[in-house]
Amino acid sequence: MKLQRSGFVAGIALTATIALTACGSDNVEPTTGGTSAAPGDCVSGSLTAQGSTAQKNAMDEWIKAYQTKCGADAKVDYQGTGSGAGIEAFIAGTADFAGSDSALKEEEQPQADAKCAGGKALNLPMVIGPIAVVYNVEGADGLQFSSSTLAKIFAGKITKWDDPAIAAENSGAKLPAANIETVHRADESGTSDNFTKFLSKTAEADWTYGNAKAWKAPGGTAVSKSDGIATKVKGTANTISYIEMSFAENQSLQTAKIKNGAGEYVALSAESAGKTFENAEIKGKDGDLALSLDYATKTAGAYPIVLVTYEIACSKGSGKAKEIQSFLKFASSAEGQKELSELGYAPLPETLRAKVAESVASIA
């Protein structure tokens, strides 16, 4: 079915129609309400969660706003340990919910479901996090790359900044005859999974390492967590890496334009990343909202390297169901999503946000 998108992305009104097609049986039209957690929705108690570093800045803001609204007795502790660690903690029962930049893998789903007595683990998209390609090359402002060139750089096939392939895409740029130092995540990361998914879907001939949370390509420098990547690139000349837009903005890093499926080199912004979701497909069902993204999007003005951060939570069977529902109700509310605009994230399209709120309301 076609869903209409309204609302704001980074404060800019968007009126595009979103083709979020529900593939499963969850074809109920969403409501367009979504008030924030009012005092009557607040639940005293404590939650422990961990996972995605991509959403850490969003979580910090949500927790602050939620506790301001609900009081000090409504406690949420979220640690940015990485998506892989978050899912492991959820499966082990040491996290009440997990943050992940990828939906649960097929082999992870039954393990996660086992923690939900009489229910299942839901993938609830909560944050749209554009992935920036960041670099530190003195005097080389405004660089742009195709997926093929990026794949060759991160696979170690292009090793110099003045390589002809880079020069061909950056006419007039001041490119040094210096070695390229690629930087990737040392820990399992949904950001790595989404970045390598983009490469594997759009530059298959040049990227033969597939996609995964764990980095598989040889060479390069491994650094833990998103803030570690940002610090490394900012402090080291001739580096290139991938990182969530919010962390790139916090460190004032140079970001590259990326060529999309329409042949356009598009600058990174919340608005341009949001356009990639115009053809997103809901592949989950029965309240699960795992998405399938088109990394080769031909939508005009779409920035193609994006991720969605999910909250992994039990549909029922959790001993902290009321607390989880209360906090995620705030995060998925229109008010909660507005908190994202100034943090380098894009709020969920309104129709998707309403479906997330509907799934959260069913947690028992």
Side-chain angles (χ1 to χ4, degrees):
M1 67 181 174
K2 298 268 187 180
L3 302 179
Q4 295 297 316
R5 176 182 185 169
S6 61
F8 289 85
V9 173
I12 301 174
L14 296 179
T15 57
T17 299
I18 304 298
L20 284 170
T21 306
C23 293
S25 60
D26 185 19
N27 291 328
V28 179
E29 289 293 334
T31 61
T32 57
T35 57
S36 61
D41 299 317
C42 295
V43 176
S44 296
S46 61
L47 289 173
T48 298
Q50 62 173 283
S52 165
T53 59
Q55 69 167 11
K56 182 63 166 63
N57 292 336
M59 272 290 173
D60 288 347
E61 188 65 26
W62 279 334
I63 291 169
K64 179 181 176 181
Y66 177 71
Q67 291 181 327
T68 297
K69 185 177 291 290
C70 293
D73 290 336
K75 299 177 181 178
V76 183
D77 177 54
Y78 182 85
Q79 298 297 318
T81 57
S83 297
I87 291 173
E88 289 176 3
F90 181 81
I91 291 172
T94 57
D96 298 315
F97 68 90
S100 176
D101 303 335
S102 300
L104 289 166
K105 303 294 186 186
E106 185 176 352
E107 63 272 17
E108 295 170 335
Q109 188 71 53
Q111 299 176 67
D113 289 346
K115 307 306 295 185
C116 306
K120 66 176 183 177
L122 299 175
N123 297 285
L124 301 172
M126 207 67 68
V127 177
I128 294 175
I131 300 175
V133 173
V134 294
Y135 63 94
N136 182 347
V137 181
E138 185 176 359
D141 298 328
L143 294 185
Q144 56 188 28
F145 301 102
S146 63
S147 58
S148 175
T149 299
L150 278 180
K152 291 174 183 176
I153 290 172
F154 281 92
K157 299 173 184 177
I158 292 177
T159 60
K160 297 283 189 179
W161 276 108
D162 62 350
D163 186 277
I166 298 177
E169 293 187 280
N170 294 278
S171 178
K174 183 181 177 182
L175 298 170
N179 290 330
I180 298 172
E181 181 181 355
T182 60
V183 182
H184 59 266
R185 287 283 289 269
D187 50 326
E188 287 198 359
S189 162
T191 310
S192 293
D193 190 23
N194 283 275
F195 180 67
T196 54
K197 191 175 293 182
F198 166 73
L199 296 179
S200 63
K201 296 290 186 181
T202 61
E204 186 176 3
D206 302 305
W207 183 259
T208 58
Y209 303 101
N211 67 279
K213 293 185 179 77
W215 187 261
K216 294 183 178 181
T221 300
V223 177
S224 293
K225 300 188 172 55
S226 299
D227 53 357
I229 293 279
T231 299
K232 171 66 176 177
V233 173
K234 188 175 182 68
T236 309
N238 300 315
T239 48
I240 186 170
S241 190
Y242 55 92
I243 194 173
E244 302 82 359
M245 185 173 79
S246 60
F247 287 89
E249 290 184 340
N250 286 347
Q251 291 280 11
S252 300
L253 298 175
Q254 291 177 305
T255 61
K257 293 181 180 179
I258 303 300
K259 190 177 183 179
N260 65 19
E264 299 176 286
Y265 289 94
V266 180
L268 173 65
S269 71
E271 182 182 14
S272 63
K275 290 182 178 180
T276 297
F277 285 80
E278 291 187 9
N279 295 309
E281 184 179 86
I282 298 174
K283 61 182 181 179
K285 59 182 180 179
D286 299 328
D288 184 87
L289 299 175
L291 300 176
S292 177
L293 301 177
D294 180 12
Y295 292 96
T297 178
K298 294 183 179 180
T299 300
Y303 180 88
I305 316 179
V306 296
L307 62 79
V308 181
T309 292
Y310 298 88
E311 310 315 324
I312 311 297
C314 290
S315 62
K316 62 179 179 178
S318 170
K320 296 288 186 73
K322 291 182 179 180
E323 292 92 333
I324 293 169
Q325 184 188 67
S326 176
F327 177 67
L328 294 185
K329 182 175 182 180
F330 174 76
S332 62
S333 70
E335 180 182 350
Q337 287 293 305
K338 283 182 181 178
E339 301 281 349
L340 302 180
S341 297
E342 296 181 0
L343 299 175
Y345 302 101
L348 296 174
E350 172 57 25
T351 43
L352 177 58
R353 186 207 64 76
K355 289 186 74 67
V356 174
E358 185 179 339
S359 290
V360 169
S362 70
I363 291 175

